[in-house]
């Protein structure tokens, strides 16, 4: 049988993290833009609900 090398958990995690590709600046910018679009969508929906609901004291 072939001999297998055992890695510690710490070394295995380091290897996995090292092997992950780094995000490019444009990917980071795209993610931030998408998050902002979602926030704008949420705020518009909230504003629409507030404008439709009858105000107290009117």
């Amino acid at each position: 049988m072939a001999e297998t090398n055992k890695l510690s958990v710490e070394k295995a995690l380091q290897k996995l993290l090292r092997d992950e590709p780094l995000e490019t600046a444009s990917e980071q910018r795209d993610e931030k833009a998408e998050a902002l679009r979602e926030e704008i969508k949420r705020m518009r929906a909230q504003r629409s609900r507030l404008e439709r609901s009858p105000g107290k004291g009117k």
Side-chain angles (χ1 to χ4, degrees), residues 28-44:
Q28 291 175 351
R29 191 172 42 249
D30 291 345
E31 287 178 6
K32 287 179 183 178
E34 182 61 30
L36 288 172
R37 281 192 287 272
E38 290 296 321
E39 181 69 10
I40 290 169
K41 183 179 175 182
R42 185 191 65 78
M43 292 175 79
R44 285 182 176 158

Side-chain angles (χ1 to χ4, degrees), residues 4-25:
T4 59
N5 294 333
K6 295 183 180 180
L7 292 176
S8 70
V9 173
E10 182 181 1
K11 287 184 180 181
L13 285 174
Q14 287 175 352
K15 184 176 180 179
L16 287 171
L17 292 174
R18 185 178 60 237
D19 292 343
E20 290 182 9
L22 298 175
E23 289 185 347
T24 63

Side-chain angles (χ1 to χ4, degrees), residues 41-54:
K41 183 179 175 182
R42 185 191 65 78
M43 292 175 79
R44 285 182 176 158
Q46 183 180 25
R47 179 176 158 198
S48 177
R49 283 191 305 272
L50 290 172
E51 288 175 347
R52 281 185 285 159
S53 66

